[in-house]
Amino acid sequence: MNFDKSTTNSKQKVIGILNCIYKNKPINVIFVFGELDARIHIYKTFKEKKISVDFLIQKTVESYTNFISFVKREYPLINVYIFNVLPQGEQGNIYKET
């Protein structure tokens, strides 16, 4: 299983944006990732491929941290901030609408 592959080429897109905005001066960048993985992809992969959820979460987090390490190495003046994904849960329709 390749955790560095993206169906949307998201890493390449982010690198393209960083290449445009990085001008060898300090810059703040906020990364927000994982929402689709937490909400859809991890569970879907678990159901389809019978891979443990713990393993999938571990590999997903490793992929994120590896990417942040890459960014810090390639763009040393970027101040990285990470906005976490809110935990998923279930809630009924409190408004009783369909």
Side-chain angles (χ1 to χ4, degrees), residues 15-31:
I15 290 168
I17 292 167
L18 292 176
N19 286 335
C20 288
I21 65 173
Y22 187 73
K23 307 292 183 204
N24 286 320
K25 61 182 181 178
I27 186 171
N28 297 322
V29 176
I30 300 172
F31 286 96

Side-chain angles (χ1 to χ4, degrees), residues 2-96:
N2 186 351
F3 286 88
D4 287 327
K5 213 166 202 167
S6 166
T7 56
T8 62
N9 293 319
S10 54
K11 288 181 183 180
Q12 293 79 3
K13 289 177 184 176
V14 171
I15 290 168
I17 292 167
L18 292 176
N19 286 335
C20 288
I21 65 173
Y22 187 73
K23 307 292 183 204
N24 286 320
K25 61 182 181 178
I27 186 171
N28 297 322
V29 176
I30 300 172
F31 286 96
V32 181
F33 40 52
E35 190 275 333
L36 284 176
D37 291 319
R39 185 168 48 88
I40 296 173
H41 293 143
I42 290 172
Y43 185 70
K44 182 177 183 238
T45 303
F46 160 72
K47 291 297 276 182
E48 289 177 355
K49 300 187 179 187
K50 306 299 184 211
I51 298 172
S52 103
V53 171
D54 288 344
F55 177 79
L56 293 170
I57 292 169
Q58 176 187 352
K59 290 301 181 182
T60 301
V61 171
E62 276 180 23
S63 177
Y64 298 152
T65 55
N66 288 342
F67 183 70
I68 294 300
S69 294
F70 165 81
V71 168
K72 290 301 292 174
R73 192 171 49 253
E74 296 297 314
Y75 309 93
L77 297 178
I78 287 181
N79 298 308
V80 172
Y81 299 91
I82 301 171
F83 184 78
N84 66 301
V85 173
L86 297 175
Q88 300 298 308
E90 292 183 26
Q91 177 179 352
N93 184 340
I94 62 172
Y95 300 107
K96 307 287 186 231

